[in-house]
Amino acid sequence: MNACPKHIGEYMHEYLDGDISREHEIELKAHLQSCDNCRQHMQELNSTIAFVKSAAVVSVPLDFKQNVMIRLPKGRSGAGVQRWLRRHPIFVAAAMFCILMSASLLTGFNDNKEFSVTKQPNLVVEGQTVIVPEGKTVTGDIVVKNGDILVKGSVDGNITVINGQYMASTANVTGQIDEINQAFEWLWYKIKNGGKEILSFLGKNE
Amino acid sequence: MDALINKRIKQVLKGDQSAYSDIVSLYQQKLYQVCYRMLGNRHEAEDIAQEAFVRAYINLHTFDLNRKFSTWLYRIATNLCIDRIRKKKPDYYLDAQVAGTDGLDMYSQISSSDRLPEEEVERMELQERIQYEISQLPDKYRTVIVLKYIEELPLQEISEILDMPLGTVKTRIHRGREALRKQLGNL
């Protein structure tokens, strides 16, 4: 086939790939009729393909699937979580925000070691202890930071104790009593208060 | 079929590992076949085909459900096969052209020097001979020939599996056919 035009060889492969154009096919067929070498070459290619295609199907071992399942990593891989995070970037942003916010709130928790109490009439302060004297009534909320509260009389409102103890004998408190001693609770209290503020803010707007 | 596969994939992604066994059932024959023809050894073929399924499972979350799953699986499997073949080969640069030859590279040198004596080849059973001749092909031709003539995949899909342009796939198939023809001589 040395003397034959080079493109004839290309046409043969175009033909075998099944994407030969009509003109090329006519030219190829005409050439093959007149050229023994190329005809033989074409035949060899055809029988090569037939040879490869006669490869028998090799059946897969019976326990193949079982072995694949054994080799799979156990349990739910991190893939699920990763995928979820990738699809919900807002949650990642929100989580980052919460972490940073809680960091600043926690710092606030540690920094405030000073004793403080909400000013209300009738309250008696003895050292680190706030006392609601017997027979007296305090109207309004009381917040005690870094100190204890001893209620002997009655309170018409909420009591919140941060880093301290709530003590009462026969106390009469109309509101809620919260003791906050740990960082987490402190955080929760902040969040809850934030929520309440938002709610009351929304309530006013309505 | 694609709808069923996508359903199973979603189940697996939700954590239902057992749904994966249906996927394995559907493709195990094809994948094993490709690996066997690429590697020429049942034991290795089983190992690599299983590895391909495991890799597909681990990376399932990266699979784009709008694409064809079999294409993706074939791609993982052929890459693993090619890696395995290259690891077995000696360490010189196989693509380097050999001086004084026209377009022949080290692949052709190796296959010609590794070839068994002609009488021995002729004594082989047909199936043994087919596998032998495929294994004599340089791996870049072997891959396309196996995908085209054993798996009977369209050229377009082969180009997606191997992530190479259609033109390159065609060129490799043409050269692969010619290389096989020469190997077979006058069959």
Side-chain angles (χ1 to χ4, degrees):
Chain A
M1 109 161 208
N2 288 342
C4 301
K6 213 182 168 190
H7 63 261
I8 291 297
E10 285 161 22
Y11 291 178
M12 287 182 194
H13 287 286
E14 285 178 8
Y15 177 80
L16 293 171
D17 287 341
D19 56 6
I20 191 168
S21 67
R22 196 140 171 77
E23 301 87 70
H24 288 185
E25 190 173 350
I26 292 167
E27 194 185 335
L28 176 66
K29 286 203 165 147
H31 181 82
L32 290 182
Q33 295 230 313
S34 63
C35 175
D36 289 344
N37 278 341
C38 286
R39 196 162 55 238
Q40 201 201 335
H41 190 111
M42 190 73 204
Q43 257 167 18
E44 283 176 15
L45 283 173
N46 272 323
S47 50
T48 301
I49 292 167
F51 172 80
V52 176
K53 280 189 160 184
S54 62
V57 170
V58 187
S59 43
V60 68
L62 286 175
D63 56 356
F64 184 90
K65 182 170 83 179
Q66 207 185 329
N67 288 336
V68 170
M69 297 310 282
I70 290 170
R71 278 172 77 167
L72 293 185
K74 289 286 159 278
R76 222 183 135 167
S77 61
V81 178
Q82 276 178 24
R83 199 171 90 108
W84 190 86
L85 287 179
R86 223 190 313 267
R87 297 220 167 156
H88 301 86
I90 285 291
F91 281 90
V92 180
M96 279 308 289
F97 178 76
C98 284
I99 290 167
L100 295 176
M101 278 307 287
S102 60
S104 69
L105 289 177
L106 288 178
T107 330
F109 176 75
N110 285 332
D111 283 350
N112 286 334
K113 288 288 180 204
E114 274 170 48
F115 169 76
S116 71
V117 63
T118 324
K119 271 202 175 158
Q120 297 282 12
N122 296 338
L123 276 184
V124 180
V125 179
E126 278 180 13
Q128 300 274 64
T129 309
V130 182
I131 300 168
V132 181
E134 232 168 313
K136 297 270 171 83
T137 302
V138 175
T139 319
D141 298 346
I142 306 171
V143 177
V144 183
K145 276 190 192 172
N146 303 309
D148 302 332
I149 183 163
L150 176 60
V151 182
K152 290 178 178 167
S154 59
V155 176
D156 186 11
N158 300 332
I159 297 177
T160 308
V161 186
I162 298 159
N163 265 355
Q165 263 191 323
Y166 165 79
M167 296 170 288
S169 42
T170 50
N172 186 358
V173 180
T174 56
Q176 282 185 341
I177 301 160
D178 287 325
E179 262 185 74
I180 300 167
N181 284 325
Q182 273 157 15
F184 176 75
E185 287 183 29
W186 162 247
L187 191 64
W188 176 234
Y189 169 76
K190 277 277 185 188
I191 291 167
K192 226 164 51 176
N193 260 17
K196 275 183 195 159
E197 269 167 35
I198 291 167
L199 282 180
S200 63
F201 179 74
L202 289 177
K204 273 177 207 161
N205 275 5
E206 266 170 19
Chain B
M1 165 106 160
D2 281 351
L4 175 77
I5 284 298
N6 281 356
K7 195 177 154 201
R8 292 285 176 270
I9 291 170
K10 281 176 192 157
Q11 284 172 332
V12 175
L13 288 173
K14 279 184 192 146
D16 179 7
Q17 199 178 66
S18 62
Y20 197 65
S21 73
D22 285 351
I23 298 178
V24 178
S25 296
L26 275 166
Y27 296 107
Q28 58 179 355
Q29 181 58 50
K30 288 180 179 181
L31 231 56
Y32 176 72
Q33 179 86 359
V34 171
C35 293
Y36 175 69
R37 291 301 175 189
M38 292 289 291
L39 300 165
N41 172 311
R42 282 170 193 269
H43 190 74
E44 268 189 311
E46 189 178 353
D47 183 41
I48 294 293
Q50 283 176 2
E51 178 67 19
F53 277 113
V54 173
R55 297 254 178 125
Y57 176 83
I58 293 170
N59 296 303
L60 201 58
H61 61 286
T62 66
F63 172 68
D64 177 359
L65 288 169
N66 299 318
R67 311 197 71 156
K68 206 173 163 188
F69 187 69
S70 60
T71 304
W72 191 66
L73 256 187
Y74 274 130
R75 185 179 196 158
I76 296 174
T78 49
N79 282 339
L80 286 173
C81 286
I82 290 168
D83 282 351
R84 176 63 65 96
I85 293 167
R86 299 220 165 127
K87 266 181 203 151
K88 289 197 291 194
K89 283 210 170 153
D91 210 9
Y92 35 80
Y93 193 36
L94 294 171
D95 271 328
Q97 291 222 341
V98 180
T101 58
D102 182 22
L104 285 179
D105 53 30
M106 287 304 283
Y107 286 116
S108 48
Q109 294 288 303
I110 284 178
S111 54
S112 58
S113 60
D114 279 349
R115 213 175 151 80
L116 296 168
E118 211 48 41
E119 319 85 71
E120 216 170 307
V121 173
E122 269 157 23
R123 272 205 304 275
M124 287 177 179
E125 299 276 342
L126 175 67
Q127 289 304 323
E128 194 186 352
R129 176 86 191 267
I130 293 171
Q131 185 55 45
Y132 172 74
E133 298 296 353
I134 292 173
S135 76
Q136 291 289 298
L137 281 173
D139 57 0
K140 59 180 175 177
Y141 300 154
R142 196 188 314 169
T143 316
V144 289
I145 292 288
V146 165
L147 293 175
K148 169 79 184 162
Y149 290 113
I150 308 266
E151 293 302 307
E152 306 196 305
L153 295 173
L155 294 176
Q156 182 57 46
E157 195 174 341
I158 298 175
S159 109
E160 282 169 38
I161 291 169
L162 301 176
D163 195 22
M164 54 175 68
L166 191 57
T168 312
V169 172
K170 282 185 184 171
T171 310
R172 289 194 178 185
I173 288 187
H174 298 179
R175 291 192 183 154
R177 276 195 292 246
E178 291 293 349
L180 260 183
R181 185 187 69 86
K182 278 183 198 135
Q183 279 174 213
L184 292 173
N186 42 4
L187 190 72

